[in-house]
């Protein structure tokens, strides 16, 4: 970069593999420092992409007659706060206080310490909350020897619905399918970076100067893009295809397509169930969708009239596998289905169960953590009568999991794992904050729930407490429901009672924490898994004592053994979604191998 001499790093090129598609940019030259930082100016670990920043003796003072751009790109160096760079032949007069130059380049550290250039930060896009470098996907595609050329863009053919689309020109005589390409990328990239559609072309449209004319690339057909497309084979499958098409807004669906791979999520699942009940007269449980996510599987369940009336609060997220099951309690108001991706990454051999937290509908008002833990415990022991037990809890659920472990110990059972995921202990300090909940009105609870859903789905809605508080309760629910439908957060046929159930579950969970204080110290080890980032708009921030000096979030005082602490990437919410959920799953796998 000209802002720091004509070159700033070096790499000795020796044996280059025949499959290599790029050469590292190496390491900083003498008297120059290179930092790869995230958006908070914190160093990124090996393998993680960050923006490349440069400091050192060769750095320019700034841009000529452009003070605003200079201030934006040449920032104070937080790693050498007091250093003043002396004059050099390249930098006459010195540079005053040490500065960092923000290059706008994306790069990552390789295991050997060299730096690999990834692309420009202004070629990043954001889809479903994830920042994606299009050039990185194209670089991986270029490794496929069957391709002549490729191009990846973001399309928004329907307002508010962005998707990655890969355009492929195969080599002459080569037959490719979307499945081949999807599998190739899935082996090398996280799921959120795999394009949702692939378009095969004979050649690319070009601009006058010979570059790919991205504006001329045609939209992908509005289908499920399945290579092994299987049409409906009976009336029931056909009915389900029509229902899925309405719910997911996709024209053509194979009976072997996965509901969640097509864009379905836990808030659309109840809508799907409602449509099945209205059009087919069949009532199924939400858990059935998670266990049978294809039309083929679902049709079999419906046709055999499988028992869906089970009222157990135990939810099988991933029931298959030979290992001891892992039971994890969800956060306040959060239905357990957001654990779906965690279950996927824990693997097919790891049974994974969670719990419904709308117990007030079955048992009336519940005001004690001890009672909730007892109900969950009974459901768990119906499945697994004896230990050892592997328990976990996220956010509010960490307190419930702790109480479950206490009750198991009192029964003489063995708890092999107690994993507290980003949740602080029930300390007095937390209760002072929680006591404010008693005075909250319905508008405040609804505003907090709205914020939580907004953060989880990474969508922006305008539902403030100030707007809600002047409305009646019914008006509040109708107002919020309308926003949720417009943002596709709730299905178009959702009613206010559905939203009220979510609010009530969240309220019940939070109020239960007010009077909870363990009666005894836990006689075993507690494993703490903490999010490495803070979330400014975290609706559960009061449940997590971030400013607690104890890195165990207060749990060390409730255990007779030293706590074990693991830090993972992401914040309180994003640790449960891609890409961070993969790292969380890897940490949990280690813990489950006790």
């Amino acid at each position: 970069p000209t802002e720091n001499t004509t070159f700033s790093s070096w790499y000795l090129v020796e044996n280059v593999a025949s499959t290599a598609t790029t050469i590292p940019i190496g390491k900083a030259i003498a008297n120059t420092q290179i930092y790869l930082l995230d958006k908070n100016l914190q160093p990124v670990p090996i393998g993680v992409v960050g923006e490349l920043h440069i400091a050192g003796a060769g750095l320019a003072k700034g841009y000529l007659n452009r003070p605003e751009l200079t201030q934006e790109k040449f920032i104070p160096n937080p790693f050498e706060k007091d250093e003043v760079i002396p004059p050099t032949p390249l930098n006459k007069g010195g540079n005053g206080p040490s500065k960092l130059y923000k290059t706008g380049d994306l790069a990552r550290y390789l295991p050997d310490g060299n730096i690999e250039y990834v692309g420009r930060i202004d070629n990043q896009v954001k889809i479903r909350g994830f920042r994606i470098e299009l050039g990185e996907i194209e670089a991986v595609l270029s490794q496929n020897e069957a391709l002549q050329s490729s191009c990846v863009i973001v399309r928004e053919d329907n307002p508010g619905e962005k998707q990655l689309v890969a355009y492929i020109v195969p080599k002459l005589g080569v037959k490719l399918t979307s499945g081949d390409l999807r599998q190739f990328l899935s082996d090398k990239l996280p799921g959120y970076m795999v394009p949702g559609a692939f378009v095969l072309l004979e050649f690319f449209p070009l601009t006058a100067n010979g570059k790919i004319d991205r504006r001329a690339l045609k939209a992908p057909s509005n289908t499920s893009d399945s290579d092994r497309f299987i049409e409906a084979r009976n009336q029931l499958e056909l009915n389900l295809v029509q229902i899925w098409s309405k719910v997911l807004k996709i024209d053509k669906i194979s009976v072997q397509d996965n509901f969640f791979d097509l864009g379905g999520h836990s808030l659309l699942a109840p809508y799907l169930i409602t449509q099945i009940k209205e059009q087919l007269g069949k009532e199924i449980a939400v858990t059935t969708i998670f266990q049978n996510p294809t039309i083929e599987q679902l049709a079999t369940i419906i046709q055999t009239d499988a028992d869906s009336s089970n009222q157990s609060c135990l939810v099988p997220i991933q029931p298959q596998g030979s290992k001891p099951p892992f039971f994890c309690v969800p956060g306040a108001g959060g239905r357990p289905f957001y654990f779906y991706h965690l279950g996927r990454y824990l693997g097919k051999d790891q049974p994974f169960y969670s719990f419904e937290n709308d117990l007030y509908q079955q048992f009336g008002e519940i005001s004690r953590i001890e009672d909730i833990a007892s109900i969950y415990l009974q459901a768990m022991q119906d499945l697994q009568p004896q230990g050892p037990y592997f328990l976990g809890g996220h956010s509010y659920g960490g307190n419930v999991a702790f109480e479950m472990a206490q009750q198991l110990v009192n029964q003489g059972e063995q708890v092999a794992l107690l994993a507290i995921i980003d949740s602080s202990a029930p300390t007095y300090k937390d209760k002072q904050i929680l006591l404010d909940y008693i005075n909250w009105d319905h508008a405040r609870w609804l505003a907090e729930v709205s914020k939580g859903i907004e953060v989880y789905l990474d969508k922006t809605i305008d539902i403030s407490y100030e707007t809600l508080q002047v409305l009646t309760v019914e008006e509040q629910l109708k107002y919020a429901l309308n926003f949720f439908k417009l943002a596709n957060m709730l299905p178009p046929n959702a009613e206010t009672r559905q939203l009220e159930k979510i609010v009530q579950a969240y309220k019940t969970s939070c109020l239960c924490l007010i009077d909870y204080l363990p009666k005894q110290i836990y006689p075993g080890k507690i494993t703490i898994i903490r999010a490495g980032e803070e979330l400014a708009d975290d609706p559960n921030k009061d449940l997590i004592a971030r400013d607690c000096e104890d890195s165990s979030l207060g749990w060390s005082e409730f255990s007779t053994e030293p706590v074990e602490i693991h830090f993972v990437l992401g914040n309180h919410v994003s640790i449960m979604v891609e890409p961070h959920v993969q790292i969380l799953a890897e940490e949990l796998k280690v813990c489950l191998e006790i």
Side-chain angles (χ1 to χ4, degrees):
T2 54
E3 291 86 351
N4 191 59
T5 73
T6 55
F7 68 96
S8 300
S9 67
W10 67 278
Y11 178 73
L12 180 61
V13 181
E14 296 182 300
N15 298 321
V16 180
S18 60
T19 57
T21 60
T22 183
I23 293 174
I25 61 175
K27 302 176 182 179
I29 63 173
N31 299 316
T32 292
Q33 297 83 45
I34 291 180
Y35 303 91
L36 302 187
L37 309 176
D38 62 20
K39 61 182 179 180
N40 298 316
L41 298 182
Q42 296 299 310
V44 297
I46 293 174
V48 176
V49 174
E51 183 179 359
L52 194 150
H53 295 67
I54 300 178
L59 199 61
K61 291 183 177 181
Y63 296 101
L64 182 64
N65 299 326
R66 302 190 67 182
E68 293 182 358
L69 184 61
T70 297
Q71 186 176 8
E72 176 188 349
K73 296 297 185 181
F74 290 82
I75 63 174
N77 186 345
F79 306 103
E80 299 178 9
K81 295 181 179 179
D82 300 321
E83 180 179 342
V84 176
I85 299 176
T88 69
L90 294 176
N91 186 19
K92 296 179 181 180
N95 200 33
S98 179
K99 296 284 188 179
L100 274 185
Y101 167 59
K102 295 170 64 71
T103 66
D105 292 318
L106 295 173
R108 60 186 164 204
Y109 288 111
L110 299 175
D112 61 4
N114 283 301
I115 297 171
E116 179 184 45
Y117 175 81
V118 173
R120 290 290 301 168
I121 200 168
D122 48 19
N123 198 27
Q124 277 191 338
V125 296
K126 188 174 184 181
I127 296 183
R128 295 187 297 277
F130 303 121
R131 293 198 178 277
I132 299 171
E133 168 59 37
L134 298 178
E136 188 172 9
I137 304 174
E138 293 173 349
V140 174
L141 280 171
S142 70
Q143 299 173 19
N144 191 320
E145 296 180 353
L147 305 189
Q148 179 178 319
S149 54
S150 63
C151 172
V152 180
I153 67 173
V154 174
R155 298 194 68 100
E156 191 172 357
D157 298 300
N158 296 316
E161 297 181 10
K162 294 180 179 179
Q163 70 165 334
L164 288 173
V165 181
Y167 294 83
I168 307 297
V169 177
K171 289 183 177 178
L172 290 176
V174 175
K175 290 186 177 181
L176 281 174
T177 67
S178 299
D180 296 332
L181 295 165
R182 183 175 287 108
Q183 185 61 51
F184 178 82
L185 289 178
S186 297
D187 292 339
K188 301 175 182 296
L189 295 172
Y192 69 95
M193 292 183 68
V194 177
F198 295 84
V199 179
L200 300 178
L201 302 172
E202 294 183 7
F203 56 86
F204 279 121
L206 301 177
T207 62
N209 60 4
K211 295 185 177 181
I212 295 176
D213 187 356
R214 296 172 183 259
R215 294 183 179 182
L217 294 170
K218 64 180 182 179
S221 58
N222 192 22
T223 71
S224 66
D225 198 38
S226 176
D227 302 302
R228 292 187 66 242
F229 188 85
I230 300 177
E231 298 277 0
R233 294 157 295 191
N234 55 49
Q235 187 64 46
L236 178 56
E237 286 187 347
L238 179 59
N239 290 339
L240 287 173
V241 166
Q242 294 168 341
I243 293 172
W244 280 37
S245 180
K246 176 182 178 181
V247 172
L248 296 170
K249 300 177 182 177
I250 295 178
D251 295 336
K252 191 177 181 182
I253 297 176
S254 167
V255 296
Q256 291 188 347
D257 284 340
N258 186 298
F259 178 78
F260 301 97
D261 290 343
L262 297 182
H265 52 72
S266 60
L267 293 179
L268 276 181
Y271 180 36
L272 178 63
I273 288 172
T274 300
Q275 291 297 308
I276 291 174
K277 181 180 179 181
E278 289 180 0
Q279 298 186 38
L280 303 180
K282 299 291 184 178
E283 212 168 330
I284 61 175
V286 177
T287 54
T288 304
I289 304 295
F290 285 83
Q291 296 174 45
N292 305 275
T294 70
I295 288 174
E296 187 178 64
Q297 295 169 325
L298 199 57
T300 302
I301 296 297
I302 294 175
Q303 205 155 20
T304 57
D305 285 323
D307 181 19
S308 62
S309 61
N310 181 21
Q311 294 298 312
S312 173
C313 60
L314 192 66
V315 177
I317 303 296
Q318 201 293 102
Q320 307 302 319
S322 60
K323 297 181 179 180
F326 175 53
F327 301 90
C328 194
V329 184
R335 303 190 71 192
F337 308 111
Y338 72 90
F339 286 147
Y340 177 73
H341 294 293
L342 179 59
R344 287 175 55 201
Y345 286 112
L346 283 176
K348 295 181 179 180
D349 199 37
Q350 177 59 66
F352 180 29
Y353 293 82
S354 188
F355 304 88
E356 285 274 17
N357 62 0
D358 56 351
L359 299 178
Y360 70 94
Q361 297 187 68
Q362 299 179 42
F363 301 95
E365 287 294 333
I366 299 177
S367 59
R368 302 173 70 245
I369 290 286
E370 292 87 346
D371 296 333
I372 295 175
S374 178
I375 294 170
Y376 287 174
L377 211 58
Q378 182 61 56
M380 183 181 72
Q381 292 183 309
D382 286 344
L383 177 75
Q384 182 185 343
Q386 295 181 327
Y389 292 99
F390 294 80
L391 302 178
H394 173 229
S395 188
Y396 145 88
N399 286 264
V400 180
F402 177 83
E403 177 60 29
M404 290 173 67
Q406 291 279 44
Q407 293 185 19
L408 284 171
V409 169
N410 290 337
Q411 294 176 10
E413 294 287 356
Q414 179 187 358
V415 178
L417 173 68
L418 173 55
I420 307 295
I421 305 174
D422 215 44
S423 172
S424 61
T427 61
Y428 176 77
K429 180 178 181 180
D430 290 334
K431 288 182 172 53
Q432 290 298 104
I433 300 173
L434 292 171
L435 284 173
D436 292 338
Y437 288 163
I438 297 176
N439 300 318
W440 278 16
D441 56 12
H442 187 274
R444 177 68 72 183
W445 287 111
L446 179 55
E448 288 298 301
V449 168
S450 302
K451 188 188 300 181
I453 296 177
E454 178 180 344
V455 169
Y456 178 66
L457 293 181
D458 193 37
K459 292 189 177 182
T460 301
I461 54 176
D462 184 21
I463 301 179
S464 66
Y465 172 67
E466 290 71 25
T467 301
L468 294 173
Q469 64 176 341
V470 298
L471 306 175
T472 66
V473 171
E474 186 63 24
E475 289 172 340
Q476 292 171 16
L477 292 169
K478 289 181 179 178
Y479 178 84
L481 186 64
N482 182 55
F483 273 96
F484 285 1
K485 288 181 178 181
L486 289 174
N488 202 31
M489 293 180 180
L490 286 176
N493 71 333
E495 300 177 356
T496 54
R497 58 185 176 86
Q498 181 178 342
L499 181 55
E500 179 63 19
K501 285 182 180 180
I502 297 174
V503 175
Q504 185 62 40
Y506 182 81
K507 177 181 178 180
T508 301
S509 301
C510 292
L511 292 178
C512 282
L513 290 172
I514 294 177
D515 296 321
Y516 179 57
L517 189 64
K519 296 181 176 62
Q520 61 191 44
I521 303 299
Y522 180 64
K525 184 177 72 174
I526 300 176
T527 299
I528 311 297
I529 301 180
R530 288 193 56 175
E533 302 174 16
E534 291 189 25
L535 182 59
D537 294 327
D538 183 5
N540 298 305
K541 59 182 177 297
D542 292 342
L543 307 183
I544 308 168
R546 292 292 180 194
D547 56 347
C548 180
E549 293 182 0
D550 183 0
S551 60
S552 74
L553 295 175
W555 288 106
S556 57
E557 65 178 281
F558 291 98
S559 175
T560 59
E561 297 185 17
V563 298
E564 182 178 306
I565 303 173
H566 301 256
F567 282 87
V568 294
L569 295 177
N571 57 45
H572 187 66
V573 174
S574 66
I575 59 173
M576 289 296 173
V577 295
E578 294 185 292
H580 303 318
V581 68
Q582 301 177 48
I583 300 173
L584 174 61
E586 291 302 317
E587 291 289 343
L588 275 173
K589 283 181 182 179
V590 174
C591 299
L592 289 166
E593 292 296 329
I594 297 176

